[in-house]
Amino acid sequence: MSIALLTLIILGLSALGYLLGRQRALAAVEGDARKLHSLPSYYGASVFLFTALPAFLTLLVWLIAQPLLIERSVAGMITPADIPAGTTLSLVMSDVQRIAVGTEQLVADGMSETELAALQADPAGLRSALGRLGVSVAETTTPNVLEAAKAYRASASLGHFGMIVAALALAVAGLLISAFRVTPELRARNIVESFIRVLLIGASTVAILTTLGIVFSLVFESWHFFQLYPAKDFFFSLTWNPKFGGGSSLGVWPLVWGTLYVSFVALVIAVPLGILSAIYLSEYASPTVRSVAKPLLEILAGIPSIVYGLFALVTVGPLLRDWLAMPLGLGASSSSVATAGLVMGIMLIPYVSSLSDDIINSVPQSLRDGSYAIGATPSETVRQVVLPAALPGIVGAVLLAASRAIGETMIVVMGAGAAAKLSMNPFEAMTTVTVKIVSQLTGDTEFASPETLVAFALGLTLFVFTLGLNILALFIVRKYREQYE
Amino acid sequence: MNLMQTPVSDTTALKPRITASGVQVYYDTNHALKDVSVNILDRTTTAFIGPSGCGKSTFLRCLNRMNDTVASARVEGKILLDGQDIYDKRVDPVQLRARIGMVFQKPNPFPKSIYDNVAYGPRIHGLARNKAELDEIVETSLRRAALWNEVKDRLSAPGTGLSGGQQQRLCIARAVATGPEVLLMDEPCSALDPIATAQVEALIDELREQYSVVIVTHSMQQAARVSQKTAFFHLGNLVEYGDTQQIFTNPQDPRTESYITGRIG
């Protein structure tokens, strides 16, 4: 019986429980729903929950735990002699698993158990049979491994059977117990409410735990990196020169500098343009202009950043080189901080303008009326009344754009190049933290050398940066909110 | 409420400050104000009364061209301030509004300090030559609004932190700081408790010494207490306009009588 079918059966039982619970509640009061503590549907829902939840939870836990337990018991059958030189136990175990799944497939395709037993006694035959299914088995596979696969398959099918029995038993027991518990006094509404509360808590916990998990994995791998590479060099060296043969110098500063420089150029372009266009849209534009211009501006946010990258590579880069960098004698590279910053700034305009526009719109009209009634012009009203009142939100919008700029990768690769450099010249090619994370991890490398593990330390650095920005945003917003409410 | 409390004064000798004739207001196709003609006298409090939606606030907002900020509004007719048409093309609404102050139904102090709230108008109109003059304007305005003694020690505190009645008096101080000739008040006490209302009413009576005050109110007692002239609006028409005492004791129009005795509205 497959998991999908089992799920359907449990759901069917639960639906039956719903009808039964509802019907029993109504029957207990002879159809007069006013005498019930809760609405009839709540009685049905409580039986539904008690039928479905225990069964599904068991199913979930079983599905996660079973492979782990089986693997542990089967691993005992593998001796050190079965592990070829240069591989590890976990690689052999994955072979065991593949062979077990493959033989299961042979049975599913119509092979009888006796035929299979004969085949298992003949490694070469088994190998060719599995090969036809696309499961390759190495020549070096020892009989022990085949035995382990056999045991794996046996325990897996036993476990599967146990799981089905347990889940169905729980569903039926839950159905019967909760259905017979239904009386007019049962507080079914409260049961359903507390279930909804637990569901909501669970949903937010998943988000928090995922974040913690990401941070933990970053910290763990970074710690691993600092075991292999001195933290002092990472944080204080001014050169970035990874060599996969060893002897790399992995100073973070050229990358941090490139990140900050490109983000700065992007924000210098995006913040004034974004805020000014938000002011125009919300305070000056007629409803017709606004209804056309705002969606147009928001289309900018929908363009994939790789397209912006192409624009930087093909158009903006050569343009800046030919008209600014070369005449000013500042360089001859079409990849430059200015190119990436300019294009990224254009990409960020809608982030700033759209959010700021919403925030400016939420400033009460009564404040504008008060200002106009004193004889202020629209621009005086915007500058002295509307913007100060909207400032916390606008700061939030800007910092969101800043986080986006710091995390951007594609535009930097195509616009600013991949050379790690410490330079003030905006027409020089530079690179950022994100680009180097990608370039350190792409290619055929293993996660054991400092040259690859440095990616995690870089990721952690980036995370600390954006975290700091977010805390700063919270702080600013809180400070001004106190002042203006 | 004893109507004999009405401040009695002879208004016949006062000259008109604002003369409105044949004013029509449309919001898109909705004819909100129909052919209103009225004279607002100098140094007099004029009350506009009438049921909700009768056009009294609309007319008030015509007097300082605040209807310009409503895209759908269209104003026809003539409104003269000291003989000059305020809807003339050469008139700058920004300057006009400095001469005609306005106080709103809900207190709307700016998210700034008390001082900056009052100094806002003088600053944008360049009324003070230096800091000392500005300080003086702020103090005079706050005194005129009967708020000085309560806030003189915390002028740099945010205006939004004051109580509702104080906020409304702050808005009055803000309006008088530009030295207007006419003060328009759109239900200035509707968000205030009785004590704050009494303070604002006493203030209106003092302001009348220098300005022409126009007040829109839903409270007939308030109209009787503070005004010398009363205009009754109904369904976009100006039904009756005359001395407050006459309107409340001897109304000429049956609709006015029904309204002030509580039969309509």
Side-chain angles (χ1 to χ4, degrees):
Chain A
M1 193 188 293
S2 70
I3 304 288
L5 184 60
L6 185 60
T7 308
L8 271 182
I9 290 175
I10 295 174
L11 279 178
L13 279 172
S14 309
L16 190 71
Y18 178 88
L19 296 174
L20 192 65
R22 200 186 130 90
Q23 187 265 326
R24 275 185 56 85
L26 279 173
V29 290
E30 284 145 4
D32 185 359
R34 287 173 301 175
K35 290 188 185 149
L36 291 170
H37 170 269
S38 316
L39 289 174
S41 60
Y42 279 115
Y43 290 94
S46 76
V47 177
F48 181 97
L49 291 174
F50 278 113
T51 312
L53 272 188
F56 279 127
L57 280 180
T58 313
L59 202 59
L60 190 69
V61 172
W62 202 298
L63 280 174
I64 295 170
Q66 181 184 307
L68 296 176
L69 290 177
I70 294 179
E71 202 152 307
R72 259 178 89 182
S73 71
V74 172
M77 299 171 67
I78 308 286
T79 59
D82 299 322
I83 303 171
T87 66
T88 57
L89 176 65
S90 67
L91 283 176
V92 176
M93 281 312 295
S94 75
D95 269 353
V96 170
Q97 211 172 333
R98 278 187 309 121
I99 295 168
V101 172
T103 44
E104 190 64 47
Q105 188 65 39
L106 287 177
V107 176
D109 286 351
M111 186 179 278
S112 71
E113 288 292 334
T114 42
E115 279 176 307
L116 184 68
L119 199 58
Q120 271 164 344
D122 163 32
L126 183 65
R127 191 173 298 133
S128 67
L130 287 174
R132 281 196 296 275
L133 287 172
V135 180
S136 64
V137 179
E139 295 279 342
T140 53
T141 307
T142 59
N144 257 344
V145 172
L146 293 181
E147 277 306 306
K150 213 166 143 189
Y152 188 100
R153 182 174 161 253
S155 339
S157 71
L158 184 69
H160 190 71
F161 180 71
M163 178 180 75
I164 289 167
V165 170
L168 285 181
L170 272 170
V172 171
L175 171 72
L176 293 178
I177 291 171
S178 59
F180 282 103
R181 212 171 55 141
V182 168
T183 58
E185 291 81 37
L186 179 74
R187 301 187 167 199
R189 181 167 13 93
N190 304 27
I191 293 174
V192 174
E193 275 306 314
S194 46
F195 162 73
I196 287 174
R197 218 189 69 188
V198 170
L199 179 81
L200 296 179
I201 291 174
S204 43
T205 313
V206 167
I208 294 169
L209 284 183
T210 314
T211 315
L212 282 181
I214 292 171
V215 173
F216 179 75
S217 79
L218 270 182
V219 169
F220 183 77
E221 295 290 348
S222 302
W223 179 78
H224 205 149
F225 166 70
F226 288 125
Q227 301 272 297
L228 297 171
Y229 189 83
K232 189 169 81 54
D233 287 358
F234 178 72
F235 285 116
F236 297 105
S237 162
L238 295 181
T239 44
W240 173 268
N241 185 17
K243 292 189 192 109
F244 279 96
S248 318
S249 119
L250 301 171
V252 73
W253 282 110
L255 307 184
V256 169
W257 169 248
T259 304
L260 294 181
Y261 203 174
V262 173
S263 306
F264 173 77
V265 173
L267 289 178
V268 160
I269 287 159
V271 170
L273 282 178
I275 292 181
L276 291 180
S277 53
I279 290 173
Y280 171 72
L281 282 180
S282 60
E283 299 289 312
Y284 289 85
S286 69
T288 338
V289 173
R290 191 182 144 84
S291 67
V292 176
K294 200 173 180 203
L296 274 182
L297 204 56
E298 277 164 3
I299 287 177
L300 277 182
I303 300 176
S305 67
I306 186 93
V307 176
Y308 281 105
L310 287 173
F311 178 57
L313 186 72
V314 175
T315 313
V316 180
L319 212 67
L320 284 180
R321 180 194 58 198
D322 295 346
W323 292 94
L324 277 174
M326 302 262 272
L328 292 172
L330 287 172
S333 155
S334 68
S335 300
S336 67
V337 168
T339 308
L342 188 71
V343 175
M344 204 193 281
I346 295 168
M347 182 189 74
L348 293 179
I349 289 173
Y351 285 85
V352 179
S353 76
S354 195
L355 280 170
S356 303
D357 177 58
D358 292 343
I359 291 152
I360 289 172
N361 264 326
S362 68
V363 171
Q365 182 62 30
S366 70
L367 288 183
R368 292 187 188 91
D369 283 348
S371 176
Y372 289 135
I374 295 176
T377 62
S379 78
E380 283 165 344
T381 304
V382 166
R383 212 170 53 235
Q384 306 201 20
V385 175
V386 176
L387 280 188
L391 193 65
I394 293 177
V395 169
V398 168
L399 287 174
L400 187 75
S403 305
R404 189 84 172 68
I406 288 176
E408 178 54 43
T409 313
M410 238 41 246
I411 295 179
V412 181
V413 179
M414 300 175 83
K421 247 179 252 164
L422 264 174
S423 162
M424 287 298 289
N425 183 356
F427 295 104
E428 189 119 36
M430 275 180 227
T431 199
T432 63
V433 175
T434 48
V435 173
K436 281 302 158 192
I437 291 179
V438 175
S439 68
Q440 292 311 102
L441 291 185
T442 41
D444 198 11
T445 53
E446 48 177 334
F447 288 113
S449 66
E451 286 75 21
T452 47
L453 285 171
V454 70
F456 294 98
L458 289 175
L460 193 64
T461 315
L462 210 56
F463 176 77
V464 170
F465 258 92
T466 44
L467 187 72
L469 267 182
N470 285 336
I471 291 173
L472 186 72
L474 269 181
F475 177 76
I476 291 175
V477 167
R478 196 167 296 164
K479 182 167 177 243
Y480 282 94
R481 184 168 291 157
E482 273 167 10
Q483 196 173 333
Y484 287 124
E485 265 172 21
Chain B
M1 186 62 59
N2 182 1
L3 294 179
M4 295 322 286
Q5 278 179 351
T6 309
V8 181
S9 62
D10 185 17
T11 55
T12 49
L14 296 167
K15 62 176 171 52
R17 193 100 223 198
I18 297 178
T19 310
S21 46
V23 176
Q24 318 266 359
V25 179
Y26 302 86
Y27 292 116
D28 287 327
T29 55
N30 174 22
H31 198 175
L33 203 62
K34 297 160 189 158
D35 197 21
V36 171
S37 301
V38 74
N39 286 338
I40 308 284
L41 299 183
D42 195 15
R43 281 185 282 150
T44 304
T45 302
T46 307
F48 289 175
I49 60 169
S52 295
C54 66
K56 54 193 192 302
S57 288
T58 298
F59 184 58
L60 192 77
R61 291 168 69 92
C62 290
L63 300 180
N64 67 344
R65 291 186 61 174
M66 277 300 278
N67 279 333
D68 290 15
T69 61
V70 181
S72 62
R74 189 157 52 84
V75 180
E76 288 170 9
K78 245 187 167 50
I79 300 176
L80 307 178
L81 172 67
D82 294 336
Q84 194 190 17
D85 186 358
I86 63 169
Y87 279 90
D88 192 288
K89 283 205 165 40
R90 282 165 297 177
V91 170
D92 180 5
V94 164
Q95 278 177 341
L96 174 77
R97 291 183 197 134
R99 290 172 64 193
I100 303 183
M102 188 167 193
V103 176
F104 293 84
Q105 186 171 354
K106 239 181 89 191
N108 57 349
F110 299 137
K112 296 172 179 292
S113 72
I114 293 171
Y115 184 95
D116 287 339
N117 260 284
V118 182
Y120 186 81
R123 274 188 183 136
I124 58 176
H125 294 296
L127 300 181
R129 269 170 301 182
N130 51 45
K131 178 84 170 82
E133 268 188 31
L134 191 62
D135 288 349
E136 201 183 309
I137 293 176
V138 169
E139 182 176 343
T140 325
S141 308
L142 283 170
R143 278 189 194 285
R144 203 162 281 171
L147 192 61
W148 175 254
N149 288 330
E150 289 161 59
V151 301
K152 64 182 175 202
D153 300 322
R154 45 174 177 145
L155 289 176
S156 57
T160 40
L162 297 171
S163 74
Q166 288 173 324
Q167 287 192 9
Q168 193 61 302
R169 278 180 284 150
L170 179 63
C171 293
I172 294 174
R174 189 175 70 187
V176 300
T178 53
E181 296 149 40
V182 180
L183 198 57
L184 308 177
M185 299 181 135
D186 191 355
E187 297 180 42
C189 300
S190 63
L192 304 184
D193 67 24
I195 295 170
T197 302
Q199 286 170 326
V200 171
E201 285 180 6
L203 187 56
I204 291 172
D205 227 37
E206 277 170 40
L207 294 171
R208 177 170 67 88
E209 307 288 319
Q210 285 170 327
Y211 312 102
S212 172
V213 179
V214 184
I215 176 170
V216 166
T217 178
H218 269 130
S219 155
M220 279 174 281
Q221 286 88 345
Q222 185 172 56
R225 281 196 300 267
V226 301
S227 71
Q228 289 78 51
K229 287 284 201 181
T230 296
F232 171 62
F233 288 80
H234 188 237
L235 301 175
N237 295 301
L238 174 62
V239 174
E240 191 168 353
Y241 175 58
D243 286 341
T244 300
Q245 205 168 15
Q246 175 252 314
I247 295 272
F248 280 96
T249 54
N250 185 24
Q252 303 298 306
D253 195 290
R255 285 173 291 177
T256 317
E257 193 183 353
S258 305
Y259 182 68
I260 61 174
T261 53
R263 276 200 294 268
I264 57 168

